[in-house]
Amino acid sequence: MNLRGMAAIYRSEMARTRRTLLQSIVSPVLSTSLYFVVFGSAIGSRITEVAGISYGAFIVPGLIMLMLLTQSVSNASFGIFFPRFSGSIYELLSAPVSYMEIVMGYVGAAASKSILLGLIILGTAGLFVPLQIAHPFWMLLFLVLTAFTFSLLGFIIGIWAEGFDRLQLVPLLVITPLTFLGGTFYSIDMLPPFWQGVTLLNPVVYLVSGFRWSFYGVGDVSLAASLAVVVAFLAVSLAVVSWIFRSGYRLKP
Amino acid sequence: MPPAISVTDLSKTYASGFQALTGINLEVKAGEIFALLGPNGAGKTTLISVICGLVNPTSGVVLVDGHDNIRDYRAARARIGLVPQELTNEAFETVWNSVSFSRGLFGKAPDPAHIERVLRSLALWEKRNNRLITLSGGMKRRVLIAKALSHEPTILFLDEPTAGVDVELRREMWEVVRGLRESGVTIILTTHYIEEAEEMADRIGVIQRGEIILVENKQTLMQSLGRKQLTLELLEPLVSLPNALSDYPLTLSDDGQALVYRYDTQQEHTGITGMLEELRKAGIQFKDLHTEQSSLEDIFVNLVRENP
Ligand SMILES: Nc1ncnc2c1ncn2[C@@H]1O[C@H](COP(=O)(O)OP(=O)(O)OP(=O)(O)O)[C@@H](O)[C@H]1O
Ligand SMILES: [Mg+2]
């Protein structure tokens, strides 16, 4: 194991966050606060309760998930895309590090950022609405698993993308709609039965549901289903990454 | 001691179908400076990239200090420092951080004293806190060299290390490279400045269209392929060569003003004395004479021309 190599990647990625602190931390916090003002206060004052929880508190887990998914994907994809783009990836590929070490360095850093961000947003939310966390351990588990899984997805996108436009495409066209349609701002039993069925095909529903369960003890789907979907997603992403490095896809001509 | 680099039957066909390397066999001895010469597109960078693990070979085996560069990639790569041809770097990092990062990436414990030595030897010490984006092209190239040296490699690849570096610094870099060789580092360099190869290399390999067409000791190469020519400026122009001189490898210049005599420096008897004697007998007088020795450049150009 080249632990030092892995740590070097991790540290340099975290240093990049510090250099771009404003966009990495401040802007998601700001936009979450805006969500609270608009959805939580303005709309929430008309919708009193969902599943026995005040609307403002109800949307907290969904909002955190929204930020977690989009930030994990964008951080991790940019992290690996930039060295590819600038050519400095030659160093990574010629160094005595295994692909798992490279992945752990990049994905670990992106996930750390997202987790930190999730906790900051949680703290921010606490300023707006009273929070309760029924199952802190599960809350953290979901936070960490989701951050890693979607950072892995971002890493894959960063390797696949051939230009900045494509880099933006997936988060914009896939992640954001899936999250908004994933029960972030509503409970899926508020939908007509047909759309409930469709929604169950959306993996984000399971993430949000599991996460919300860890807060309030209620979810749209069972905890086991939520966990299974996260783990399955993680396994698929890992398989893709390992294929990428074995075949050299987009990395080695 | 195994050779620093041993390449066997290496071929590379890119996804486009273009065959960039064809059956390369090459050994680089530990501790030597090996210069890889070849025209643009010959496959120098491709060969280096395959050895360093940046390009997947289509077939063939690469051993680095006896370690297979794919199966035993950690051991192989840990020994190699690579300075790529293209200027690439993490624009927003400082020189110091970028070079320290390289050392960490290769699994070496931090050693600020070593990094300082490397930066000083490459005249980068003053710039250590500058962001890479603020450096000139030649400085960026030196940063790439510093990064490669940061992890104390025993084999160093320099893909056109002095492209875009001014003359004075080029000399300084040669000194650095010589210093490395003194300390036992094997160096493989590609260059388009033949004088560089002439000055530095112990052995020379010429690659063309993806094939190694020659590997030779520099000294031997310059002696065996090196030719000298003696030019005699004539007092009176000649219309044709006198018959008595037809046995000599003499050519008359187009204007008839000069005679050119070509000979191998290696030959025991160059025939100069006899030739001059014949000239005297024929009453041909000359006002001046000079000799020229072919440089590595001439040798190289001839080689590449002879192997179309
Ligand atoms: N990724 C690639 N896909 C397809 N062809 C490639 C690729 N990389 C290089 N080539 C081709 O392989 C050949 C050898 O290229 P290479 O870069 O090894 O040449 P070189 O000897 O380093 O040339 P130069 O002196 O210009 O640096 C060229 O014809 C080049 O176009
Ligand atoms: Mg090249």
Side-chain angles (χ1 to χ4, degrees):
Chain A
M1 269 286 267
N2 181 353
L3 284 176
R4 283 202 189 96
M6 201 165 96
I9 297 172
Y10 182 86
R11 269 199 310 274
S12 93
E13 278 299 290
M14 292 309 273
R16 197 167 59 80
T17 315
R18 276 195 294 281
R19 277 200 304 273
T20 54
L21 197 66
L22 208 65
Q23 81 213 46
S24 298
I25 304 278
V26 177
S27 83
V29 168
L30 192 70
S31 56
T32 316
S33 304
L34 290 175
Y35 278 119
F36 273 114
V37 173
V38 175
F39 286 94
S41 310
I43 301 176
S45 59
R46 320 234 159 160
I47 311 170
T48 44
E49 283 192 343
V50 182
I53 308 148
S54 83
Y55 186 68
F58 176 83
I59 64 170
V60 172
L63 268 182
I64 295 177
M65 271 292 161
L66 175 67
M67 286 301 150
L68 210 56
L69 300 195
T70 50
Q71 290 299 312
S72 296
V73 169
S74 77
N75 278 331
S77 62
F78 192 76
I80 188 71
F81 178 79
F82 190 68
R84 280 182 60 221
F85 177 75
S86 73
S88 59
I89 196 163
Y90 83 86
E91 194 173 26
L92 219 50
L93 297 177
S94 64
V97 286
S98 71
Y99 80 82
M100 257 309 155
E101 287 154 6
I102 296 178
V103 170
M104 287 308 289
Y106 276 99
V107 171
S112 304
K113 267 179 246 178
S114 305
I115 292 167
L116 189 68
L117 202 66
L119 295 175
I120 291 176
I121 292 172
L122 188 63
T124 315
L127 302 175
F128 291 90
V129 290
L131 282 178
Q132 62 173 88
I133 299 171
H135 311 283
F137 166 77
W138 286 100
M139 195 276 282
L140 279 176
L141 184 72
F142 271 107
L143 196 67
V144 170
L145 274 181
T146 310
F148 265 96
T149 306
F150 281 78
S151 296
L152 260 179
L153 179 64
F155 187 84
I156 294 168
I157 293 167
I159 286 177
W160 163 80
E162 293 200 286
F164 278 100
D165 46 340
R166 290 239 196 142
L167 203 59
Q168 308 287 349
L169 200 69
V170 174
L172 210 66
L173 248 51
V174 182
I175 307 292
T176 312
L178 281 185
T179 322
F180 272 93
L181 303 174
T184 319
F185 299 112
Y186 53 89
S187 164
I188 62 169
D189 50 56
M190 294 157 94
L191 297 172
F194 172 75
W195 289 108
Q196 283 190 31
V198 172
T199 303
L200 287 178
L201 298 174
N202 178 355
V204 177
V205 167
Y206 297 83
L207 299 179
V208 173
S209 165
F211 199 47
R212 187 173 286 137
W213 174 86
S214 71
F215 278 75
Y216 307 119
V218 286
D220 291 324
V221 296
S222 74
L223 176 66
S226 292
L227 207 57
V229 168
V230 187
V231 171
F233 212 134
L234 186 64
V236 170
S237 302
L238 279 175
V240 173
V241 166
S242 113
W243 171 82
I244 283 175
F245 278 91
R246 266 184 292 109
S247 67
Y249 173 78
R250 296 265 158 105
L251 292 175
K252 292 186 192 186
Chain B
M1 191 150 65
I5 302 287
S6 150
V7 174
T8 313
D9 295 331
L10 183 71
S11 292
K12 172 63 188 177
T13 306
Y14 280 111
S16 60
F18 181 82
Q19 181 153 18
L21 296 176
T22 313
I24 301 275
N25 285 291
L26 181 65
E27 271 194 9
V28 178
K29 296 172 197 154
E32 73 175 343
I33 298 185
F34 187 90
L36 194 58
L37 304 182
N40 286 133
K44 303 180 292 291
T45 301
T46 303
L47 177 56
I48 291 178
S49 300
V50 171
I51 296 172
C52 296
L54 299 177
V55 166
N56 288 325
T58 306
S59 62
V61 178
V62 174
L63 300 181
V64 179
D65 212 1
H67 300 276
D68 186 296
N69 81 330
I70 294 174
R71 261 184 296 123
D72 199 4
Y73 70 94
R74 276 191 211 268
R77 292 183 194 171
R79 290 165 165 74
I80 295 180
L82 167 64
V83 181
Q85 180 174 7
E86 302 289 332
L87 284 180
T88 58
N89 45 46
E90 320 89 322
F92 304 107
E93 279 290 0
T94 64
V95 172
W96 179 270
N97 285 347
S98 176
V99 175
S100 304
F101 168 78
S102 302
R103 186 175 171 87
L105 191 61
F106 276 70
K108 292 278 175 115
D111 184 352
H114 175 71
I115 307 276
E116 177 172 347
R117 265 197 308 280
V118 168
L119 291 182
R120 283 190 191 282
S121 75
L122 291 161
L124 283 169
W125 181 245
E126 305 301 318
K127 297 280 179 186
R128 65 188 177 282
N129 293 321
N130 283 46
R131 286 177 170 208
L132 297 174
I133 201 168
T134 66
L135 301 182
S136 76
M139 291 175 191
K140 284 186 187 139
R141 186 164 304 282
R142 279 179 280 142
V143 172
L144 293 183
I145 299 177
K147 281 165 81 69
L149 294 179
S150 68
H151 51 85
E152 300 163 72
T154 57
I155 301 166
L156 183 64
F157 284 90
L158 298 162
D159 200 351
E160 313 223 5
T162 50
V165 173
D166 66 42
V167 180
E168 192 187 339
L169 267 170
R170 203 181 300 162
R171 301 244 158 231
E172 281 175 29
M173 275 167 56
W174 293 356
E175 284 313 308
V176 172
V177 170
R178 278 204 201 88
L180 287 168
R181 210 248 322 241
E182 302 280 288
S183 67
V185 178
T186 309
I187 290 147
I188 296 105
L189 59 87
T190 76
T191 178
H192 282 129
Y193 300 111
I194 308 268
E195 63 196 89
E196 197 159 271
E198 200 166 332
E199 171 105 21
M200 311 270 300
D202 299 312
R203 282 199 311 149
I204 291 185
V206 178
I207 181 170
Q208 194 185 12
R209 305 233 167 100
E211 290 182 65
I212 298 267
I213 57 177
L214 170 131
V215 176
E216 190 61 271
N217 228 303
K218 181 185 66 186
Q219 239 65 46
T220 329
L221 181 66
M222 295 192 59
Q223 276 167 10
S224 64
L225 293 174
R227 286 174 167 270
K228 259 194 164 177
Q229 70 179 37
L230 170 67
T231 309
L232 303 164
E233 308 274 353
L234 301 178
L235 207 56
E236 305 278 335
L238 276 182
V239 185
S240 63
L241 271 179
N243 274 344
L245 286 162
S246 61
D247 285 345
Y248 291 95
L250 266 176
T251 45
L252 188 62
S253 67
D254 287 343
D255 58 4
Q257 298 275 15
L259 278 172
V260 179
Y261 182 72
R262 289 204 175 75
Y263 58 101
D264 273 344
T265 46
Q266 273 195 316
Q267 277 168 355
E268 195 94 341
H269 302 287
T270 57
I272 292 177
T273 325
M275 190 259 308
L276 290 179
E277 181 67 21
E278 292 293 342
L279 279 180
R280 198 186 54 79
K281 278 191 203 154
I284 299 170
Q285 290 183 292
F286 45 92
K287 53 182 177 190
D288 198 3
L289 85 178
H290 60 267
T291 63
E292 281 167 48
Q293 182 158 23
S294 56
S295 65
L296 187 54
E297 173 139 22
D298 302 325
I299 297 172
F300 173 71
V301 169
N302 283 334
L303 260 178
V304 170
R305 209 181 277 141
E306 281 165 21
N307 293 271

